[in-house]
Amino acid sequence: MRVTFVENRGKTAFWAGVAERLAAAGHEIGWIIQNPAYAPPTGDGTRFDLGFPKAADMVDMPVPDAVSTDRGRQYFGAGARHYDFYARRITAALDALRPDVVIGEPTLMHELLSIAECRRRAIPYLHPTMTRYPGGRFNVLDGDTQIPVSGSNETWAPERLAELAGAISEGRSLPSYMARPSPMAARMRQLRRVAGQAQTTLGWLRGERFNTPSPARKLTLQRLLKQNLESWAALARMPDATGPVVLYPLQMQPEANIDVWGRPHSDQVALVQRLLAALPADGAVAVKANPKSKYEASAEMLELARSERRVVLLPLDCPMNDAQAACIGAVTVSGTVGFEAVFGRGRCLALRHPVLEHHLPEFHAETPEDAVARLLADADAGRGSAARGGDLLAQLVADSFEGTINEPTYDPNCLSPENIGKVTDAIAQVLAATPQKAEA
C-alpha cells in the first residue's frame, strides 16, 4: 500500500522508525512535511514539502470548520490568512503522493486540514495514540474522532481484568502521563526538552510561524500563566454553597483531547457558565485546575470566578479525592475522570467519550444541562464499580494494541527495536484490514 505520514514535530522521529519497517515489508512510504526542521532523514520515501506562504499567498477567508480550534490562531497569534495556502498545498501533496492511507495526528493546523481533505477523498486517515487505560497500549483512531478503526480483538482473563479494575478503582493504577519520573529521569527529560526547543526555534527561524509561537510570544504566554496561577491561588477556596456543588476538572489547553475531541464544548469558560445556569440558585460549580496547567487557566476563567461567587476555584494543590468529596459529582468533556468513574473512582458524566456513549450510556450525557439534571435527579448517575470497570477494560483491550507511541523527547524507550516492531506489526494489521480504492 501507499502509506503517507504527516510530520508532527518531535514525534516524527518515532514514526520514521515505523516507516522504515513498513517500507521493508513492501509498503510505499511518503511524507507530508510542514516544518522542515523535523523532516525525517532522506531515503524514507517520497517527501512533499508544503513550504511557507509568501505575502501574495496570504488571503482573507472564513475560518474552515476543520481548524475552528487551531491553537496557532487561538493562542499564538498566527491568524487565519494562511489556511487557503496550506489547504491548496495539502491538496497538491495528496495528488502527488496518491496515498491509500494517511497516518498522522489531529493536533496541528496542517494535520487538521489534511484530515478534512482526506475525508473529502475517502482516504483513511489513521491516528495512532496511547490509551489512558490500560497502560502500555494504543488505539488506531479514525481521523479527528475517538473512534477506533480496528483493534487487536485481544481478550484478557477475568482475573487480570478484575485485578487492574480494582487498582484503578482504588487509585493504585494511573495513566502513564500522570506518572512522576525519578529525579534523574526528570533531569534527563529536561535536557532532551531543551534540545527539542532548540529544534523548534530553528524551525521558527526558517519560517514556521503558524504552529509555533515566536520566542517572545512564548515568554509572554508563560508570564501570563504564572500571573494567572497566582491570581487563582488568591481566589481559591473550598465550596461553601448551601445547595448542590458540581465539580468541573479543567482540561489542559491547547490539547487535541479538548480542542478537537471536545467539540463543541472546547470553550471551557462557556461550559462552566452552562453548568452554573443548569443548577439551582443555591448551587455552585467547583473548578479544579489541571495539574499541568497551561492556557486554560485563563483571564476569562478568573474574571468569571470574580464576578460570580457560585463559581468556586479550588486550591491549586487540592487532591482529586478531596475535590470529589466536596461535590455531588463531576462533569467532564473528554477527561480521564470520566473513565475512572466507571471503575467507582468518583462520580462523573462525560460529554464526549464515544466508548462510554456507545457501550456505557449511563456514564454519558448529551449536554451540560442534561448532565446536571441527571446528577441532581439520580444519586446513582455516573457512579460505577470495579465490576463495571472490568467490563470497560475488556472493551478497551479489544479495541487497542500493545505498544508505546510517544515523542522520543519524553520517552526515548519508544524507539527500542522491540517497541518499533510491536507498533509496526499493529499498523500492518490495520493496513491489511483497510479497503483500497480502485485506481482512477
Side-chain angles (χ1 to χ4, degrees), residues 10 68 79 143 160 164-165 172 215 225 246 261 267 360 364 371 377 419:
S68 61
R160 185 179 182 185
L164 180 54
R172 293 183 287 108
L225 174 59
V246 168
W261 291 344
D267 184 338
L360 294 162
H364 166 76
N419 184 62

Side-chain angles (χ1 to χ4, degrees), residues 249-304:
L250 273 179
Q251 294 184 235
M252 186 176 72
Q253 287 180 293
E255 182 69 36
N257 190 4
I258 178 74
D259 292 328
V260 178
W261 291 344
R263 296 172 183 170
H265 302 299
S266 303
D267 184 338
Q268 297 188 86
V269 175
L271 178 57
V272 169
Q273 291 174 316
R274 289 180 65 176
L275 294 173
L276 190 66
L279 284 163
D282 60 349
V285 178
V287 182
K288 185 182 184 306
N290 190 281
K292 299 179 180 179
S293 293
K294 289 190 78 174
Y295 312 141
E296 76 287 345
S298 63
E300 291 77 12
M301 185 66 75
L302 293 168
E303 182 55 35
L304 177 61

Side-chain angles (χ1 to χ4, degrees), residues 74-75 220-233 235 250 253 267-270 272-273 287 293-308 311 313:
Q74 294 200 121
Y75 301 106
T220 297
L221 289 170
Q222 289 172 341
R223 284 196 296 267
L224 285 174
L225 174 59
K226 182 180 179 181
Q227 293 170 8
N228 287 345
L229 292 178
E230 289 172 350
S231 297
W232 184 301
L235 292 168
L250 273 179
Q253 287 180 293
D267 184 338
Q268 297 188 86
V269 175
V272 169
Q273 291 174 316
V287 182
S293 293
K294 289 190 78 174
Y295 312 141
E296 76 287 345
S298 63
E300 291 77 12
M301 185 66 75
L302 293 168
E303 182 55 35
L304 177 61
R306 290 191 186 99
S307 62
E308 175 54 80
V311 174
L313 303 183

Side-chain angles (χ1 to χ4, degrees), residues 14-15 18 138 402-405 419-428:
F14 169 80
W15 286 114
V18 175
F138 68 95
E402 184 180 359
T404 297
I405 294 172
N419 184 62
I420 292 292
K422 287 180 180 179
V423 173
T424 303
D425 289 346
I427 297 296

Side-chain angles (χ1 to χ4, degrees), residues 2-3 8 21 48 102 118-119 126 158 164 188 194 203 208 219 222 338 351 369 383 399-400 404 408 437:
R2 291 188 295 270
V3 182
N8 181 271
R21 293 280 189 102
F48 192 103
V102 175
C118 284
R119 185 168 287 140
L126 308 181
L164 180 54
M188 294 302 295
V194 170
E208 203 306 281
L219 287 173
Q222 289 172 341
L351 302 174
E369 294 77 14
R383 193 184 303 278
D399 286 343
S400 62
T404 297
K437 293 176 66 176

Side-chain angles (χ1 to χ4, degrees), residues 323-344:
Q324 290 171 322
C327 303
I328 64 166
V331 177
T332 188
V333 179
S334 51
T336 303
V337 64
F339 280 137
E340 291 174 340
V342 178
F343 295 84

Side-chain angles (χ1 to χ4, degrees), residues 168-189:
I168 296 171
S169 175
E170 297 167 10
R172 293 183 287 108
S173 178
L174 298 173
S176 58
Y177 69 87
M178 292 186 182
R180 292 187 176 182
S182 67
M184 178 59 72
R187 175 61 177 162
M188 294 302 295
R189 178 183 293 183

